[in-house]
Amino acid sequence: MFETTYDDCWLRYDRVDDALRPGYRRRLTHAYVSEGAPELGAVRAELRRGLEGLLGREPHLWQHPPRSVDSFLAIGHPEEMRPISETIDVDEAWNLADGGFLIRTVEWEGQECTVLTASSDRGLVYGTFHLLRLVATGEPIDDLDVREEPANENRIVNHWDNPFRRSVERGYAGQSIFDWERLPDVRERYFDYARLLASVGIDGVVPNNVNTGIPSRPTENDAVADRAGWQLLARENLEKLEALASVFRRYGIRIYLSVNYAAPIRLGGLETADPLDPGVRQWWKDKVDEIYEIVPDFGGFLVKADSEGQPGPYDYDRSHAEGANVLGEAFEGHDGRVWWRAFVYSEHDDRAVQAYEAFSHIDGEFHDNVTVQIKNGPIDFQPREPISTLFGAMPETSLGCELQLTGEYTGQGVHTASHVPMWKEILEFDTHGDGEERTVKDVLADVEGQGIAGVGVVGEDESWTGNHLLQSNLYGFGRLCWDPDLSSEEITREWARQTFGGDEQVVETVTDILLDSWHACIDYHTGGLGLMHMMYNGEEALENHYDPAPWEWPEYHGATAEGIGVDRTSSGSGYAAQYRDPLTELYDDPESCPEELLLFFHHLPWEYELTDGTTVIQRLYDNLHAGAATVDDLRERWLDLEGSVDERRHRHVTARFDEHALQAKRWRDTLCTYFYEKSGVPDERGRVPTE
Ligand code: GCU
């Protein structure tokens, strides 16, 4: 079958420095990997591939611990490692959270041994990638004492890919990689995608769009003309799903499905999808049983209900809990769960308040098998949003956080915009739930069934992500789900080092570009005071959500002749009142409200003075200019790497930066002009045309 070529991303395994190579070779040339689960096959294959690249020599893989060598690597479950690893506490290893692993350097009857053990097969896969990462980033491995466990139980990528049609909603890197027409034939690319995901600890993939009603495009092939995501629940497609699952299973990753709430009608021929109808309950139960017969390690369902035209329990006057629970019950007796999205809005003037209104009062009513999946902010993946109030409001419910890997509002597949610092800010945010310090990362980490979902970014492009530098968002997502305490800098450096090699100058520059990119993105897209959603929509245009159009959705920024911003205080739309104390107080008062969110919470006069005496309008002009200027600077920094980064990737990213720099100016000029026209207040520095 014809396959496109594609990049290795951070799994390049470039040869390590001459000086370091002998030490690594001594420890890793001989390896014993125990037999058994499919994951161990993946471990062996990755060791061969990784060590050959990094050390220039394939390792010798033994069927048993080798006695004739000074030093070796041993990988297997605690019991299998017991004879070698007296210094490893077997119980400690068995008690690690699923996915966790230990890597320790031990002495064994005069031999040196690097032992990697874990409580599950997927832990051995993660541990193998961890060890390879240490080598790829030039870290010492002579005296290892590594104990790793994932902070979040579930770490899932949600693809918004439309099956059969192979388009990707909000995807900017070409067609979907999932080829449902050809499944159960599997593509090499699935294996490589699974490797990328497993290397950063991701353990779940939803391969189809939450909008399950989108039919295939009209096509010359009638057989696929009317196929849509909801049909993946049909038996013939479940067999295709199992083929996909069998690839991902090797890497410890489970496959899920987005399902349509009206499936009992559309697929089952019932007259209703009312969750309280016994026939509907039975239909879901039978369907879930059927899935597990075909895909024994199926992960569960993702559901977008009563949102943007999707069917849901409101169609039958039932609550979201009643709606979700019929699905949760269907998973009883199976190891799977339902991820029920809280992204609902419609009948209200201020969409920000709606998810809380729909969900907070049904806290505690959800089945144990249901996780409520909440977007990080109340609007929709804007460059910066306040935290969703639901994270502090549902202590009795399993919660998941939904982040966006793809850059729907941050420059799509073109602009270099790292989301990692944004995600750090989100996860570190203190919700004050329960009246105590409770950051979002604490809320997510401590109850069963919780976790983080990221809306997918990859497509069929050679770069996977539309811009090589945006691979760092997929990488960073996995690393943060695994360990939210890692800093943005650590993650970005690690990525740059593995992706662009050991030249310190390159690593430093690429890391700095990415770390500075998010603030620039906020500044030129929003003016940096909490405004948002000022983009062009227009479903027909490729530029959808890419170009500036502040006149299109005036209710989101609230600009009038007198002032700008939206009153979301307790006496306004009430969004601020949905937080726990002392956050309500903090946001309610413009004097204490953090400047970066000021206009999200307040409608203020254009010449309202900020703490340093600058007016709101002047700060907007300044930030918009600063953002665009930073992009020019990021571009220059990248151009300086010519000759130090391979020509192919340098040229590719340069072309993206050329467009990025133009587009940042376009946003700057459009917003500055619009704000000037509304306010009539000229830029003190004379940069905004007054004609
Ligand atoms: C946004 C996005 C849609 C998506 C929706 C969702 O509105 O633009 O493409 O379907 O979010 O998260 O469901």
Side-chain angles (χ1 to χ4, degrees):
M1 191 199 306
F2 171 75
E3 280 282 353
T4 48
T5 55
Y6 48 84
D7 193 58
D8 289 330
C9 301
W10 55 88
L11 296 180
R12 315 182 80 72
Y13 298 132
D14 287 340
R15 195 67 41 88
V16 299
D17 255 19
D18 289 352
L20 296 174
R21 214 177 307 144
Y24 291 137
R25 275 188 176 170
R26 196 164 61 80
R27 300 247 164 221
L28 303 173
T29 295
H30 296 276
Y32 158 60
V33 180
S34 69
E35 304 280 321
E39 285 91 336
L40 291 161
V43 164
R44 250 178 251 115
E46 202 63 32
L47 282 178
R48 279 205 196 88
R49 180 176 190 148
L51 294 177
E52 183 177 7
L54 292 163
L55 307 182
R57 185 191 280 174
E58 258 205 30
H60 188 99
L61 295 182
W62 295 77
Q63 306 278 331
H64 48 77
R67 304 311 313 258
S68 55
V69 298
D70 295 336
S71 185
F72 66 99
L73 168 68
I75 302 182
H77 285 298
E79 294 306 331
E80 290 152 341
M81 294 296 105
R82 194 193 284 277
I84 306 169
S85 57
E86 273 148 29
T87 47
I88 290 193
D89 178 346
V90 170
D91 289 335
E92 180 192 1
W94 277 125
N95 287 333
L96 291 168
D98 184 13
F101 56 86
L102 303 176
I103 311 178
R104 298 230 167 106
T105 310
V106 300
E107 283 257 334
W108 184 53
E109 299 182 6
Q111 288 172 287
E112 289 171 334
C113 182
T114 308
V115 179
L116 161 51
T117 189
S119 56
S120 64
D121 299 319
R122 79 164 54 86
L124 298 175
V125 176
Y126 297 147
T128 302
F129 279 112
H130 185 99
L131 185 61
L132 290 169
R133 177 163 60 236
L134 292 177
V135 178
T137 53
E139 294 293 322
I141 61 160
D142 281 338
D143 190 15
L144 290 177
D145 185 6
V146 175
R147 181 181 196 283
E148 287 273 336
E149 282 179 302
N152 288 286
E153 186 190 332
N154 295 286
R155 307 168 300 279
I156 307 174
V157 176
N158 292 182
H159 284 263
W160 285 358
D161 297 19
N162 299 312
F164 303 104
R165 186 183 173 115
R166 294 191 72 182
S167 59
V168 182
E169 182 158 331
R170 313 307 177 190
Y172 310 103
Q175 287 195 295
S176 168
I177 62 168
F178 299 115
D179 188 348
W180 288 88
E181 246 183 286
R182 294 215 165 71
L183 280 165
D185 285 354
V186 296
R187 310 177 62 198
E188 198 54 35
R189 194 157 185 158
Y190 302 154
F191 288 93
D192 287 321
Y193 185 44
R195 291 174 52 238
L196 289 171
L197 297 184
S199 74
V200 289
I202 288 166
D203 71 346
V205 167
V206 187
N208 66 316
N209 192 356
V210 288
N211 292 319
T212 47
I214 297 175
S216 285
R217 67 194 177 290
T219 150
E220 5 13 281
N221 180 352
D222 286 345
V224 298
D226 60 352
R227 295 215 216 143
W230 60 270
Q231 284 159 317
L232 294 186
L233 276 181
R235 184 161 191 111
E236 68 272 18
N237 290 326
L238 293 176
E239 277 154 13
K240 290 170 181 265
L241 188 73
E242 166 53 17
L244 205 53
S246 69
V247 173
F248 285 86
R249 183 176 296 136
R250 270 171 69 87
Y251 293 89
I253 300 167
R254 302 204 297 169
I255 294 285
Y256 296 65
L257 270 186
S258 288
V259 299
N260 189 289
Y261 203 71
I265 305 174
R266 302 182 86 159
L267 204 68
L270 305 190
E271 293 200 331
T272 176
D274 181 350
L276 301 194
D277 180 275
V280 170
R281 293 183 110 101
Q282 193 59 45
W283 188 86
W284 281 115
K285 219 186 141 344
D286 292 345
K287 184 45 85 178
V288 170
D289 289 346
E290 182 190 358
I291 297 175
Y292 279 96
E293 266 167 38
I294 301 172
V295 187
D297 59 346
F298 183 64
F301 291 158
L302 172 63
V303 194
K304 173 172 178 174
D306 293 314
S307 166
E308 299 184 331
Q310 296 295 308
Y314 285 0
D315 296 338
Y316 309 95
D317 279 334
R318 312 294 183 201
S319 72
H320 279 280
E322 288 168 319
N325 290 349
V326 62
L327 303 181
E329 272 168 37
F331 280 91
E332 281 171 10
H334 299 292
D335 181 20
R337 50 194 308 111
V338 177
W339 294 76
W340 186 270
R341 299 179 77 227
F343 180 66
V344 294
Y345 65 97
S346 55
E347 69 287 342
H348 221 283
D349 286 347
D350 178 17
R351 125 186 207 184
V353 300
Q354 296 183 37
Y356 183 98
E357 286 182 357
F359 281 86
S360 60
H361 69 281
I362 47 174
D363 181 34
E365 292 179 17
F366 287 89
H367 190 284
D368 285 351
N369 291 343
V370 176
T371 301
V372 173
Q373 181 168 312
I374 307 166
K375 284 192 185 182
N376 60 273
I379 302 296
D380 191 19
F381 301 134
Q382 300 299 299
R384 177 186 249 143
E385 293 191 34
I387 299 302
S388 166
T389 46
L390 280 175
F391 289 112
M394 300 190 70
E396 304 299 321
T397 306
S398 294
L399 299 182
C401 177
E402 183 176 306
L403 304 170
Q404 200 175 42
L405 313 187
T406 190
E408 178 178 355
Y409 301 97
T410 56
Q412 307 192 344
V414 177
H415 299 199
T416 294
S418 171
H419 293 183
V420 175
M422 163 165 57
W423 297 333
K424 261 311 262 188
E425 182 174 286
I426 292 162
L427 294 169
E428 299 288 352
F429 182 85
D430 187 357
T431 65
H432 294 274
D434 289 344
E436 287 167 19
E437 187 183 313
R438 254 173 92 68
T439 58
V440 172
K441 75 182 176 202
D442 297 336
V443 171
L444 295 175
D446 62 0
V447 180
E448 213 177 305
Q450 308 217 131
I452 308 188
V455 176
V457 59
V458 309
E460 197 68 6
D461 274 8
E462 188 269 343
S463 68
W464 293 85
T465 50
N467 170 344
H468 279 267
L469 295 185
L470 295 175
Q471 294 167 359
S472 60
N473 283 334
L474 181 58
Y475 182 89
F477 170 73
R479 296 291 286 140
L480 271 182
C481 290
W482 183 276
D483 182 359
D485 292 331
L486 290 170
S487 71
S488 303
E489 190 184 345
E490 280 172 282
I491 293 172
T492 310
R493 272 191 71 81
E494 238 179 53
W495 174 80
R497 174 83 205 251
Q498 292 168 86
T499 306
F500 289 106
D503 178 338
E504 231 354 88
Q505 181 62 27
V506 174
V507 173
E508 213 51 51
T509 307
V510 170
T511 304
D512 290 349
I513 288 175
L514 284 164
L515 292 176
D516 292 343
S517 65
W518 177 49
H519 272 275
C521 167
I522 297 171
D523 281 344
Y524 68 81
H525 275 114
T526 76
L529 296 182
L531 298 176
M532 59 191 67
H533 212 276
M534 295 186 282
M535 71 293 165
Y536 177 66
N537 191 36
E539 291 298 330
E540 81 293 345
L542 275 180
E543 296 82 354
N544 194 335
H545 292 190
Y546 183 67
D547 285 331
W551 47 85
E552 216 179 305
W553 317 83
E555 68 278 22
Y556 282 94
H557 55 68
T560 61
E562 289 72 45
I564 182 152
V566 180
D567 183 359
R568 294 190 171 96
T569 61
S570 303
S571 53
S573 80
Y575 185 72
Q578 297 176 345
Y579 285 105
R580 298 292 162 261
D581 284 335
L583 294 173
T584 301
E585 217 176 297
L586 178 84
Y587 292 132
D588 262 350
D589 182 353
E591 296 293 311
S592 58
C593 182
E595 189 176 298
E596 66 271 15
L597 293 174
L598 189 60
L599 300 178
F600 181 84
F601 286 101
H602 297 274
H603 181 82
L604 296 171
W606 289 103
E607 299 195 75
Y608 178 88
E609 278 190 14
L610 301 167
T611 30
D612 67 355
T614 309
T615 60
V616 161
I617 177 69
Q618 191 57 41
R619 182 73 100 239
L620 290 171
Y621 291 147
D622 289 349
N623 285 345
L624 287 161
H625 277 84
T630 304
V631 176
D632 281 341
D633 180 53
L634 302 181
R635 179 176 167 278
E636 287 300 320
R637 288 192 244 164
W638 176 259
L639 291 181
D640 285 347
L641 295 181
E642 190 176 359
S644 312
V645 166
D646 56 281
E647 212 243 322
R648 183 180 58 87
R649 285 186 294 167
H650 194 267
R651 203 166 1 98
H652 165 103
V653 175
T654 300
R656 301 296 181 278
F657 264 125
D658 291 346
E659 157 78 6
H660 185 178
L662 282 177
Q663 183 72 354
K665 295 189 183 82
R666 205 153 157 228
W667 272 86
R668 175 196 71 191
D669 294 343
T670 308
L671 295 186
C672 282
T673 305
Y674 181 78
F675 294 151
Y676 169 68
E677 282 170 6
K678 284 278 172 194
S679 66
V681 183
D683 173 19
E684 277 170 7
R685 296 178 225 282
R687 294 161 301 189
V688 181
T690 48
E691 289 300 302

